[in-house]
């Protein structure tokens, strides 16, 4: 009896210790993520102005106004375009790079460093440097090199046709390294026995890749895709620093519009309703991808 | 305006002060001088305020030219005049400088006046602190004239205390202190307030070590006395973001200034009543 009691006490102590260890993270999550997240839903049904201190219940008015807000509708279009650009380019490039790097894993030390370098660079510095590189005329380094081979480059960030693509490429190169790292890990852990068996059965080249390696990599691919989609919908710093939403609003994305409404207009209520829309769309996308994961990656343990 | 005297001399033309003395300091002559500087030195001649003349500071850049030609952005009576013939004429002048003469630092270009690569720029005297270690000779001069005279912009900022605040009286006290004689004297060389008593005081004339008394009186003081604030409105942040989508169409070679300003005026009309 006595023994059992002390064992129970031991368990309690251990549990307490465990909670103490996760407390800092959980408290941070509670105060900086959970509570603000719930507040956003409450704010979104109020006409709330942070500067004037107004806070009046308005039901669904904020959401109704969204449908008539041409800028908001434009930001949705832009965000979708941005994600559709970033996600496939990022996935394909990082998968390709990961395979290339894994082929000669030891010799590619320098290339690996170069690919991963942008990830550890500050996003702000990255955007400013690219803004410099992408200047129009022949003043920017990129256009200067293009002019050497006889191509007249556009004013990348100030041309409606090229601004979004420039931002997308900037963003992709910045985040490529993380995904390459995840894919490399997955590729190096591919079960050799399966590949050997397939090779013995005569599979090689593209067939080996599409029928054996790709399905085995599906869990990592889906995970990376989810993270990249969410990340791309939350883009802010690159846009703010490189184009400020222009030209002609062609790079105005949702998060930037939220910032604009909340911190320039102080329309906190309205901004919150946009945030709710963004939150819901990301949630829905994640659920879709999660269910895809169950269906597509049957090799997952 | 702040100018790089070396580049004017290098181009073999009169310096702004000499042009002013001859009565030639007009926007037309300014445009011409800029074109010559670019042709002769290969450098850009004019940089918009802080290089932001195509986005955040679009009105700071255009207003002095527009008003000098008799136009305006919108008036104090909320009459929208951005697409009036006078305004269009003034904007066309700037547009020609940018695309026909190639004398203005174009959108997105990072060339900077303060590092000595541009001949002249528009700015407030607080910007002079960037010229502390300048390797070139520089000077300041009032705005060029247009058919309707000379118009400078006064920097505008407001401090407000919320009506609902528990401490509104304390806030008022703070503002009274900030605008008191001692504080104004301390700030006069960087942010001179638009008050006659300050403009005429010796403290103001000697307040900035980088500028002599003469320039302080005839350029800074003169510009503040004759200057006006930019057209403003409580909805400006929203006006800014929406109108910028139209303004951006102005920044290409074949832009139709009238069409762009008509579209901008339409957006202004949505908010300014």
């Amino acid at each position: 009896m006595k023994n059992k009691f002390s064992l129970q006490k031991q368990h309690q102590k251990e549990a307490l210790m465990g909670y103490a260890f996760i407390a800092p993270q959980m408290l941070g999550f509670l105060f900086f993520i959970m509570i603000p997240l719930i507040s956003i839903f409450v704010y979104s049904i109020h006409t709330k102005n942070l500067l004037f201190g107004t806070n009046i219940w308005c039901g669904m008015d904020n959401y109704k106004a969204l449908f008539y807000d041409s800028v908001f509708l434009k930001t949705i279009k832009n965000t979708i375009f941005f994600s559709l650009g970033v996600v496939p380019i990022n996935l394909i490039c990082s998968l390709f790079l990961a395979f290339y790097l894994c082929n000669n894993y030891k010799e590619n030390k320098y290339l690996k460093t170069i690919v991963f370098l942008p990830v550890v660079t500050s996003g702000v510095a990255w955007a400013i440097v690219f803004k410099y590189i992408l200047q129009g005329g022949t003043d920017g380094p990129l256009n200067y090199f293009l002019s050497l081979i006889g191509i007249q480059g556009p004013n990348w960030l100030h041309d409606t046709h090229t601004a979004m693509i420039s931002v997308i490429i900037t963003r992709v190169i910045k985040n490529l390294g993380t995904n390459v790292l995840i894919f490399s890990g997955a590729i190096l852990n591919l079960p050799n026995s399966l590949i050997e068996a397939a090779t013995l059965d005569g599979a090689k080249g593209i067939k080996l890749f599409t029928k054996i390696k790709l399905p085995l990599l599906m869990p990592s691919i889906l995970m990376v895709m989810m993270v990249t989609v969410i990340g791309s919908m939350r883009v802010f710093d690159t846009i703010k620093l490189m184009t400020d939403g222009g030209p002609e609003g062609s790079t105005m994305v949702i998060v930037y519009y939220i910032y604009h409404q909340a911190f320039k207009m102080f329309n906190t209520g309205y901004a919150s309703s946009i945030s709710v829309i963004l939150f819901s769309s990301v949630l829905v996308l994640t659920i879709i991808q999660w269910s895809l994961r169950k269906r597509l990656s049957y090799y997952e343990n | 305006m702040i100018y790089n005297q070396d580049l004017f001399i290098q181009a073999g033309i009169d310096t702004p002060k000499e042009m002013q003395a001859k009565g030639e300091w007009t926007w037309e002559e300014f445009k011409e001088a800029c074109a010559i500087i670019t042709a002769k030195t290969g450098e850009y001649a004019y940089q918009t305020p802080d290089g932001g003349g195509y986005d955040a500071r679009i009105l700071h850049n255009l207003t002095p030219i527009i008003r000098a030609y008799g136009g305006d952005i919108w008036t104090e009576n909320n009459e929208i005049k951005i697409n009036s013939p006078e305004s269009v004429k003034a904007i066309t002048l700037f547009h020609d400088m940018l695309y026909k003469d190639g004398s203005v630092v174009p959108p997105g270009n990072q060339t900077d006046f303060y590092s000595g690569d541009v001949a002249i720029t528009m700015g407030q005297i607080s910007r002079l602190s960037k010229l502390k270690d300048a390797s070139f000779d520089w000077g300041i001069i009032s705005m060029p004239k247009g058919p309707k005279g000379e118009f400078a912009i006064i920097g505008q900022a407001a401090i407000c205390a919320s009506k609902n605040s528990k401490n509104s009286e304390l806030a008022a006290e703070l503002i009274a202190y900030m605008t008191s004689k001692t504080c104004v004297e301390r700030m006069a060389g960087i942010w001179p307030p638009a008050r006659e008593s300050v403009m005429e005081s010796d403290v103001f004339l000697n307040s900035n070590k980088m500028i002599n008394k003469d320039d302080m009186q005839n350029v800074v003081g003169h510009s503040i006395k004759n200057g006006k604030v930019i057209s403003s409105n409580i909805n400006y942040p929203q006006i800014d973001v929406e109108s910028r989508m139209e303004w951006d169409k102005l920044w290409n070679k074949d832009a139709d200034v009238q069409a762009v300003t008509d579209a901008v005026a339409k957006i202004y009309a949505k908010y300014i009543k």
Side-chain angles (χ1 to χ4, degrees):
Chain A
M1 191 69 193
K2 202 178 173 189
N3 223 349
K4 198 180 168 194
F5 180 71
S6 80
L7 202 65
Q8 201 179 1
K9 208 163 184 186
Q10 189 93 15
H11 273 304
Q12 267 175 1
K13 209 173 153 189
E14 240 171 51
L16 218 66
M17 189 82 105
Y19 284 121
F21 273 121
I22 60 164
Q25 167 75 19
M26 288 325 278
L27 281 179
F29 175 77
L30 188 72
F31 282 106
F32 296 113
I33 296 181
M34 217 45 215
I35 294 178
L37 192 63
I38 294 164
S39 324
I40 290 289
F41 280 89
V42 180
Y43 290 169
S44 75
I45 46 170
H46 286 83
T47 301
K48 188 176 174 72
N49 189 309
L50 219 49
L51 190 62
F52 301 139
T54 43
N55 192 13
I56 306 155
W57 189 81
C58 70
M60 300 305 277
D61 283 3
N62 282 333
Y63 292 96
K64 280 180 207 151
L66 283 175
F67 287 99
Y68 303 100
D69 186 344
S70 58
V71 182
F72 171 68
L73 297 175
K74 191 163 192 163
T75 62
I76 292 196
K77 222 171 68 193
N78 289 342
T79 310
I80 293 174
F81 185 73
F82 183 80
S83 296
L84 283 181
V86 166
V87 178
I89 298 180
N90 194 329
L91 281 181
I92 292 168
C93 289
S94 51
L95 200 58
F96 174 78
L97 265 172
F99 267 109
Y100 179 77
L101 289 175
C102 287
N103 263 344
N104 310 296
Y105 199 68
K106 294 241 165 67
E107 290 97 82
N108 283 327
K109 241 189 301 184
Y110 297 106
L111 187 59
K112 264 187 293 186
T113 315
I114 291 172
V115 170
F116 200 70
L117 211 54
V119 179
V120 288
T121 312
S122 128
V124 173
W126 186 256
I128 291 173
V129 167
F130 264 79
K131 197 172 168 177
Y132 179 80
I133 293 174
L134 296 171
Q135 288 177 87
T138 49
D139 296 301
L142 177 63
N143 277 359
Y144 176 74
F145 286 120
L146 285 177
S147 73
L148 293 182
I149 51 169
I151 299 172
Q152 200 189 357
N155 194 349
W156 295 96
L157 295 172
H158 289 266
D159 187 320
T160 39
H161 304 293
T162 54
M164 193 52 133
I165 292 166
S166 309
V167 177
I168 288 174
I169 302 280
T170 308
R171 180 85 181 176
V172 166
I173 304 176
K174 169 88 176 72
N175 292 338
L176 211 54
T178 333
N179 293 351
V180 172
L181 201 69
I182 297 172
F183 283 145
S184 299
I187 291 168
L188 289 176
N189 282 324
L190 283 178
N192 254 333
S193 54
L194 272 178
I195 293 171
E196 224 177 277
T199 323
L200 284 178
D201 285 342
K204 55 187 166 190
I206 293 174
K207 204 154 201 180
L208 182 70
F209 177 74
T210 53
K211 297 278 181 201
I212 308 290
K213 289 184 176 174
L214 212 55
L216 284 171
L217 287 174
M218 224 44 192
S220 328
I221 293 177
L222 281 169
M223 197 273 283
V224 165
M225 190 162 94
M226 236 181 300
V227 174
T228 313
V229 167
I230 295 172
S232 72
M233 297 196 76
R234 285 171 32 182
V235 58
F236 174 77
D237 50 354
T238 322
I239 301 283
K240 164 88 181 139
L241 288 159
M242 290 182 75
T243 62
D244 201 19
E248 295 172 40
S250 61
T251 57
M252 186 76 136
V253 290
I254 293 188
V255 177
Y256 197 57
Y257 193 50
I258 294 174
Y259 159 78
H260 171 82
Q261 282 292 343
F263 300 108
K264 282 188 170 169
M265 299 289 294
F266 298 104
N267 283 336
T268 321
Y270 191 59
S272 300
S273 67
I274 306 174
S275 307
V276 169
I277 299 277
L278 177 64
F279 173 78
S280 322
S281 358
V282 171
L283 190 69
V284 168
L285 274 175
T286 311
I287 292 171
I288 293 176
Q289 292 180 60
W290 197 256
S291 55
L292 268 180
R293 180 192 167 106
K294 279 186 187 147
R295 216 175 291 169
L296 282 179
S297 57
Y298 17 77
Y299 299 107
E300 198 175 349
N301 298 323
Chain B
M1 287 215 158
I2 314 166
Y3 62 91
N4 180 331
Q5 179 139 316
D6 293 355
L7 279 175
F8 277 84
I9 293 170
Q10 205 185 316
I13 54 171
D14 286 345
T15 64
K17 282 268 164 72
E18 287 164 345
M19 288 168 77
Q20 194 172 45
K22 288 184 190 165
E24 289 170 356
W25 190 235
T26 62
W27 283 108
E28 288 288 335
E29 306 270 351
F30 173 80
K31 175 178 183 287
E32 217 139 280
C34 285
I36 296 173
I37 291 171
T38 298
K40 290 261 172 78
T41 66
E43 302 279 10
Y44 290 116
Y46 173 65
Q47 182 187 13
T48 59
D50 300 329
Y54 309 104
D55 34 71
R57 297 197 180 277
I58 185 166
L59 296 188
H60 294 74
N61 182 53
L62 293 176
T63 303
I65 318 176
I66 289 175
R67 285 184 180 156
Y69 276 81
D72 209 335
I73 311 297
W74 61 83
T75 64
E76 280 152 36
N77 310 321
N78 289 339
E79 191 188 337
I80 293 156
K81 293 185 80 174
I82 190 67
N83 54 346
S84 67
E86 295 85 4
S87 303
V88 170
K89 197 171 169 200
I91 297 170
T92 307
L93 177 122
F94 177 72
H95 196 267
D96 286 350
M97 283 178 72
L98 177 57
Y99 290 105
K100 284 203 180 133
D101 306 343
S103 61
V104 185
V105 181
N109 194 293
Q110 311 279 310
T111 312
D112 190 36
F113 170 82
Y114 300 95
S115 51
D117 299 326
V118 183
I120 188 161
T121 190
M122 199 189 290
Q124 280 144 348
I125 56 166
S126 53
R127 295 297 182 281
L128 294 180
S129 57
K130 287 190 181 178
L131 291 173
K132 250 177 206 150
D133 307 310
S135 56
F136 54 91
D137 243 351
W138 55 269
I140 56 173
I141 187 153
S142 48
M143 285 296 183
K145 281 188 173 138
K148 293 284 169 254
E150 173 200 328
F151 289 86
I153 289 171
I154 314 179
Q156 58 206 79
I159 309 169
C160 30
S162 170
K163 235 193 329 201
N164 306 335
S165 163
K166 280 179 222 151
N167 301 311
S168 51
E169 258 170 58
L170 203 62
E173 212 175 294
L174 174 69
I175 292 168
Y177 171 71
M178 283 169 74
T179 50
S180 68
K181 203 172 168 199
T182 20
C183 286
V184 168
E185 278 177 2
R186 221 181 291 159
M187 298 203 301
I190 315 164
W191 294 307
R195 284 158 82 171
E196 210 148 61
S197 59
V198 178
M199 296 294 112
E200 278 158 10
S201 70
D202 267 349
V203 179
F204 166 68
L205 297 178
N206 296 313
S207 59
N208 193 317
K209 282 187 200 121
M210 298 176 84
I211 311 174
N212 63 38
K213 247 177 148 175
D214 233 23
D215 274 348
M216 208 60 182
Q217 186 161 24
N218 298 328
V219 181
V220 184
H222 166 87
S223 297
I224 294 175
K225 273 187 201 167
N226 298 303
K228 257 174 78 181
V229 291
I230 287 181
S231 308
S232 60
N233 186 282
I234 193 164
N235 288 316
Y236 191 70
Q238 191 63 26
I239 296 173
D240 182 37
V241 73
E242 279 188 45
S243 66
R244 190 125 26 110
M245 292 182 188
E246 295 301 331
W247 275 122
D248 281 345
K249 292 180 185 157
L250 194 60
W251 312 129
N252 68 65
K253 226 183 199 150
D254 316 307
D256 179 346
V257 178
Q258 184 71 55
V260 171
T261 50
D262 282 345
V264 169
K266 230 182 235 167
I267 291 170
Y268 285 172
K270 254 166 71 180
Y271 295 97
I272 301 159
K273 279 162 194 157

